[in-house]
């Protein structure tokens, strides 16, 4: 009797589930056909041919960081090589016009596009804001990106889709519903094996709160959540036809998570090496003030507090002897109110440590001012743990500063490495080692510092705009066949 009852309940349930699955497949197929029809009805160009539409998903394209420099250089490279291509940028920067965004790219990065770009302004960017998800942030932002991607797809269905900002969950949407050839440029894995180890070892960091690390139960729950998310991230990432990563560090993580080695390649991000190489390099003249310059957006992972604390320790312990006074100049972009609040907190930290008069904040400055600060600086400072690449590190080296970066990620594996057996810069890990190394750099004779600066300059040619264009276009070729 129990078996008959079970069968009488189970069979209708299976039948209903099958019907619902078939309905869902038919619905999705209908949506795909509708999007395809909409795409092919779009207007033809002057020669009668419909241009190939290449769309970049970059909701914060006006932010002014290294990721945005990659975006504009990528678009310029495509415009140089392909005539019948229309480049589209999906953005949520509705507080600026397309002309203002393009002008901002020229002002900040010295990048001038050859042809106009079509901007598709998205209204639902708030769905990918971290502030909307105080808990389960990774999952919330990823699901939010799917809804934002759906808005983008409805507004403009491209032929080729490139996620250039790390929203991997949009890739299957554009591939299977949009019928697009899909690629991505990965600046930083949304989740990495390092993040899993931080939770497993119960380490307290900016993305792993103290109340979680102090509780074995919460830590285990978060670890399960991270493993589930890593599995989902691997699934959506493996849908890509072409995967480009920005460094050896990112490559290792993406290969282990996405398992798409056949279509994955390293494409170093474009650094405006030539512009900085124009700065004359000569033995430092005697001066009453030395400057230490940091270049990086005001985000928590950049760890500006570490820079300020190490600088305060350097001043406090007077390890620079009777040398001229020192200034720490923090240069970076602020994307929103949270970044501005972060800057205010950094200013409070300076007051607390008694170094307010010695620390200067320069926010969203023009390119020429950035160049001037780097030309005058002695040390270029960078403190992000496991920085995926580090465009700011390369710029500092090209400009002729003595670089001091974190002993991890891209700087350790790809950038601050010996060139022809010679030292190109220095690496540190914590407050003490940063302060000690800065003191050591200032203790070197000016001629020795010049030698290190020259070595660093010779090593950065592999990160030039031209090298990026060549490798980017080569990697992207399969999408155009």
């Amino acid at each position: 009797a129990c078996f008959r009852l079970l069968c009488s309940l189970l069979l209708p349930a299976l039948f209903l589930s099958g019907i619902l699955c078939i309905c869902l497949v038919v619905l999705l197929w209908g949506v795909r056909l509708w999007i395809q029809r909409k795409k092919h009805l779009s207007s033809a160009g002057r020669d009668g041919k419909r241009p190939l539409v290449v769309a970049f998903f970059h909701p914060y394209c006006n932010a002014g960081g290294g990721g945005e420099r990659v975006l504009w250089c990528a678009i310029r490279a495509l415009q140089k090589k392909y005539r019948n291509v229309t480049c589209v940028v999906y953005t949520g920067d509705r507080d600026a016009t397309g002309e203002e965004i393009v002008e901002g790219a020229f002002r900040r990065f010295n990048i001038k596009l050859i042809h106009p770009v079509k901007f598709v302004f998205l209204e639902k960017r708030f769905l990918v804001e971290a502030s909307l998800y105080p808990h389960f942030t990774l999952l919330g932002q990823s699901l939010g990106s799917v809804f934002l991607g759906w808005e983008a797809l409805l507004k403009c269905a491209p032929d080729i889709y490139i996620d250039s900002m790390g929203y991997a969950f949009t890739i299957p949407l554009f591939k299977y519903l949009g019928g697009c050839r899909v690629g991505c440029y990965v600046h930083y894995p949304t989740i990495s094996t390092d993040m899993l180890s931080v939770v497993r070892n119960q380490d307290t960091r900016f993305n792993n709160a103290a109340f979680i690390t102090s509780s074995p139960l919460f830590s285990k729950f978060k670890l399960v959540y991270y493993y589930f998310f890593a599995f989902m991230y691997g699934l959506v990432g493996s849908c890509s036809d072409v995967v480009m990563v920005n460094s050896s560090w990112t490559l290792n993580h993406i290969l282990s998570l996405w398992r798409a080695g056949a279509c994955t390649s390293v494409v170093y991000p474009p650094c405006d090496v030539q512009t900085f190489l124009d700065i004359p390099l000569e033995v430092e003249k005697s001066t009453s003030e030395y400057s230490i310059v940091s270049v990086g957006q005001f985000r928590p992972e950049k760890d500006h507090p570490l820079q300020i604390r190490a600088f305060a320790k350097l001043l406090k312990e007077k390890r620079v002897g009777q040398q001229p006074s020192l200034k720490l100049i923090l240069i970076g972009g602020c994307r929103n109110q949270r970044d501005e609040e972060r800057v205010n907190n950094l200013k409070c930290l300076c007051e607390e440590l008694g170094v307010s008069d010695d620390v200067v904040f320069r926010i969203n400055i023009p390119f020429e001012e950035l160049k001037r600060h780097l030309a005058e600086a002695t040390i270029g400072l960078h403190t992000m743990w496991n920085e995926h690449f580090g465009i700011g590190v390369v710029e500092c080296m090209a400009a002729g500063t003595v670089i001091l970066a974190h002993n991890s990620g891209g700087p350790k594996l790809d950038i601050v490495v010996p060139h022809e057996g010679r030292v190109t810069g220095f690496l540190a890990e914590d407050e003490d080692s940063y302060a000690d190394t800065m003191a050591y750099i200032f203790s070197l004779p000016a001629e020795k510092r010049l030698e290190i600066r020259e070595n660093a300059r010779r090593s950065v040619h592999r990160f030039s705009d031209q090298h990026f264009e060549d490798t980017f276009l080569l990697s992207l070729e399969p999408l155009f066949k």
Side-chain angles (χ1 to χ4, degrees):
C2 288
F3 178 74
R4 281 201 302 272
L5 178 64
L6 187 63
C7 286
S8 66
L9 292 173
L10 187 61
L11 289 174
L14 287 172
F15 180 74
L16 185 61
S17 299
I19 293 293
L20 288 174
C21 285
I22 291 168
C23 289
L24 182 62
V25 169
V26 170
L27 176 66
L28 292 175
W29 186 253
V31 169
R32 179 185 165 110
L33 289 176
W34 173 66
I35 290 172
Q36 292 292 305
R37 179 175 170 77
K38 190 177 171 185
K39 185 193 299 185
H40 290 298
L41 287 174
S42 58
S43 57
R46 290 178 184 175
D47 56 0
K49 293 180 182 176
R50 193 181 71 84
L52 196 69
V53 178
V54 180
F56 292 82
F57 191 75
H58 210 104
Y60 296 90
C61 75
N62 205 30
E68 288 66 60
R69 187 165 213 289
V70 170
L71 170 70
W72 302 121
C73 279
I75 290 173
R76 184 176 63 183
L78 285 174
Q79 289 180 344
K80 278 184 187 177
K81 181 169 182 180
Y82 300 101
R83 287 189 176 182
N84 198 38
V85 159
T86 296
C87 290
V88 171
V89 176
Y90 298 119
T91 179
D93 292 301
R94 294 188 296 146
D95 56 346
T97 64
E99 291 78 13
E100 287 170 344
I101 293 172
V102 170
E103 174 57 34
F106 177 67
R107 192 179 71 253
R108 289 174 185 150
F109 306 120
N110 201 29
I111 295 171
K112 197 164 185 66
L113 301 179
I114 301 163
H115 304 297
V117 170
K118 180 184 174 184
F119 289 92
V120 174
F121 291 94
L122 307 176
E123 296 173 17
K124 297 182 178 63
R125 190 177 71 179
F126 67 90
L127 291 174
V128 296
E129 291 277 358
S131 57
L132 192 63
Y133 312 99
H135 306 293
F136 301 101
T137 311
L138 293 179
L139 188 60
Q141 285 183 292
S142 297
L143 293 176
S145 72
V146 175
F147 287 100
L148 188 64
W150 176 244
E151 180 192 347
L153 184 57
L154 289 181
K155 287 185 173 179
C156 176
D159 299 292
I160 294 172
Y161 171 78
I162 299 169
D163 164 39
S164 53
M165 208 178 164
Y167 293 105
F169 280 71
T170 63
I171 292 169
L173 177 73
F174 278 83
K175 181 169 185 173
Y176 298 115
L177 279 187
C180 309
R181 285 158 277 171
V182 295
C184 59
Y185 188 95
V186 184
H187 298 275
Y188 200 84
T190 305
I191 191 165
S192 66
T193 51
D194 289 326
M195 289 167 69
L196 292 169
S197 68
V198 163
V199 179
R200 195 185 302 112
N201 299 332
Q202 294 180 247
D203 293 339
T204 302
R205 290 186 183 268
F206 77 89
N207 58 353
N208 198 37
F211 80 89
I212 290 176
T213 59
S214 60
S215 166
L217 179 64
F218 282 153
S219 288
K220 282 187 174 63
F221 180 78
K222 185 168 183 177
L223 192 60
V224 170
Y225 158 58
Y226 265 20
Y227 272 114
F228 167 73
F229 185 84
F231 172 73
M232 294 301 295
Y233 183 60
L235 276 183
V236 296
S238 64
C239 296
S240 299
D241 299 314
V242 166
V243 181
M244 294 167 280
V245 297
N246 65 345
S247 70
S248 304
W249 182 87
T250 308
L251 175 69
N252 294 334
H253 286 284
I254 288 298
L255 288 179
S256 67
L257 290 163
W258 291 10
R259 305 190 185 282
C263 61
T264 305
S265 56
V266 176
V267 178
Y268 288 130
C271 307
D272 198 4
V273 170
Q274 194 52 54
T275 301
F276 291 105
L277 291 176
D278 292 341
I279 297 170
L281 202 60
E282 52 196 28
V283 177
E284 302 153 20
K285 296 167 186 168
S286 57
T287 176
S288 59
E289 183 178 278
Y290 283 133
S291 65
I292 301 162
V293 168
S294 158
V295 181
Q297 288 188 305
F298 289 102
R299 299 180 185 179
E301 64 270 21
K302 297 298 182 182
D303 207 353
H304 289 93
L306 173 56
Q307 299 179 4
I308 294 167
R309 289 195 301 270
F311 179 69
K313 189 178 270 283
L314 177 70
L315 294 183
K316 185 180 177 183
E317 299 189 8
K318 302 187 190 309
R319 282 182 278 191
V320 289
Q322 300 303 309
Q323 286 187 358
S325 64
L326 301 176
K327 281 278 185 214
L328 173 61
I329 303 171
L330 303 179
I331 300 172
C334 277
R335 301 164 297 169
N336 49 38
Q337 191 178 344
R338 290 191 74 180
D339 287 356
E340 288 165 13
E341 287 170 7
R342 206 166 282 121
V343 170
N344 289 333
N345 291 337
L346 292 172
K347 289 177 178 175
C348 291
L349 177 63
C350 291
E351 286 179 19
E352 187 185 313
L353 296 172
V355 294
S356 292
D357 294 339
D358 304 301
V359 179
V360 179
F361 290 83
R362 303 298 297 132
I363 299 162
N364 296 333
I365 61 173
F367 180 79
E368 285 306 316
E369 188 179 341
L370 165 68
K371 189 174 173 182
R372 179 172 57 79
H373 281 300
L374 286 174
E376 294 169 356
T378 301
I379 294 176
L381 193 60
H382 195 272
T383 47
M384 180 175 168
W385 170 72
N386 269 342
E387 168 73 273
H388 40 298
F389 179 73
I391 287 180
V393 175
V394 174
E395 289 176 346
C396 286
M397 291 167 74
T401 68
V402 179
I403 191 67
L404 173 56
H406 200 281
N407 189 28
S408 62
K412 178 184 180 179
L413 295 174
D414 292 313
I415 306 173
V416 191
V417 294
H419 178 67
E420 296 176 355
R422 295 177 181 148
V423 175
T424 58
F426 299 90
L427 299 167
E429 292 181 8
D430 53 27
E431 194 177 310
D432 288 331
S433 59
Y434 269 99
D436 287 339
T437 309
M438 283 191 281
Y440 172 72
I441 293 167
F442 283 119
S443 73
L444 293 172
E447 290 78 13
K448 181 63 179 173
R449 281 201 294 268
L450 178 63
E451 185 184 314
I452 295 168
R453 292 156 66 206
E454 286 173 337
N455 295 340
R457 274 200 160 180
R458 281 192 288 269
S459 75
V460 298
H461 286 286
R462 62 212 161 99
F463 306 124
S464 66
D465 284 2
Q466 188 57 52
H467 190 263
F468 167 81
E469 286 186 11
D470 295 341
T471 52
F472 174 78
L473 291 171
L474 188 64
S475 299
L476 220 58
E477 263 182 17
L479 300 184
F480 286 85
K481 288 177 180 173

